[in-house]
């Protein structure tokens, strides 16, 4: 995994985990890699992975099982989608709006450009 410098590594690990959940690579109610396994896989400090897992646990996306590791919650995909939507509307949309204003792009022009990109 390539890490960028504009976001803390633990946040990038959270995003990585979200991606694994959304794509089904990590399945609901199944065991996910341990902190140690993921830290080796991503070549990062285990404390960084632990910080990401603490966030996922606080968000009720993963559940610790004593002596067995971490497991995805039964509704992990739904929770991830909800968190990603919230981040989209609180972070991405305001960034897009600022950029549109700077470039003089109207909402109508954006919609016209988005329409072919959307499947529905």
């Amino acid at each position: 995994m390539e890490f960028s410098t504009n976001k803390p590594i633990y946040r990038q690990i959270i995003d990585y985990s979200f991606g694994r959940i959304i794509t089904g690579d990590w399945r609901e109610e199944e065991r996910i890699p341990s902190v140690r396994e993921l830290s080796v896989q991503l070549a990062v400090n285990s404390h960084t992975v632990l910080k990401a897992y603490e966030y996922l646990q606080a968000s009720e996306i993963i559940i610790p099982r004593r002596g067995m590791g971490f497991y995805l919650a039964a509704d992990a995909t739904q929770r991830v989608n909800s968190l990603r939507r919230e981040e989209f509307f609180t972070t991405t949309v305001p960034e897009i709006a600022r950029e549109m204003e700077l470039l003089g792009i109207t909402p109508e022009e954006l919609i016209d450009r988005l329409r072919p990109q959307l499947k529905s």
Side-chain angles (χ1 to χ4, degrees):
M1 180 173 166
E2 295 282 328
F3 293 104
S4 68
T5 57
N6 62 346
K7 193 177 211 179
I9 292 175
Y10 86 96
R11 285 292 318 173
Q12 293 177 65
I13 294 170
I14 292 167
D15 292 343
Y16 171 83
S17 300
F18 283 1
R20 307 306 278 177
I21 294 165
I22 295 298
T23 60
D25 292 336
W26 293 357
R27 290 181 164 39
E28 292 177 342
E29 300 187 75
E30 290 187 6
R31 184 182 174 279
I32 63 170
S34 69
V35 169
R36 183 182 198 105
E37 290 167 342
L38 193 58
S39 68
V40 168
Q41 180 184 339
L42 300 178
V44 298
N45 187 299
S46 60
H47 293 289
T48 306
V49 174
L50 181 60
K51 188 171 182 176
Y53 275 23
E54 287 171 348
Y55 172 87
L56 295 173
Q57 186 177 350
S59 300
E60 300 178 344
I61 294 168
I62 63 172
I63 301 165
R65 292 191 184 160
R66 190 176 183 133
M68 298 177 65
F70 289 99
Y71 285 73
L72 282 186
D75 61 350
T77 304
Q78 178 184 349
R79 288 181 181 275
V80 167
N81 280 333
S82 178
L83 287 169
R84 289 180 69 192
R85 285 177 60 89
E86 181 63 27
E87 182 178 356
F88 177 80
F89 286 115
T90 60
T91 303
T92 306
V93 169
E95 289 172 1
I96 291 170
R98 280 191 296 276
E99 191 72 13
M100 287 174 61
E101 189 173 340
L102 287 171
L103 297 173
I105 298 171
T106 65
E108 295 77 19
E109 186 179 358
L110 177 63
I111 290 168
D112 287 343
R113 295 288 183 110
L114 278 174
R115 200 166 273 120
Q117 304 296 321
L118 302 175
K119 293 179 183 177
S120 52

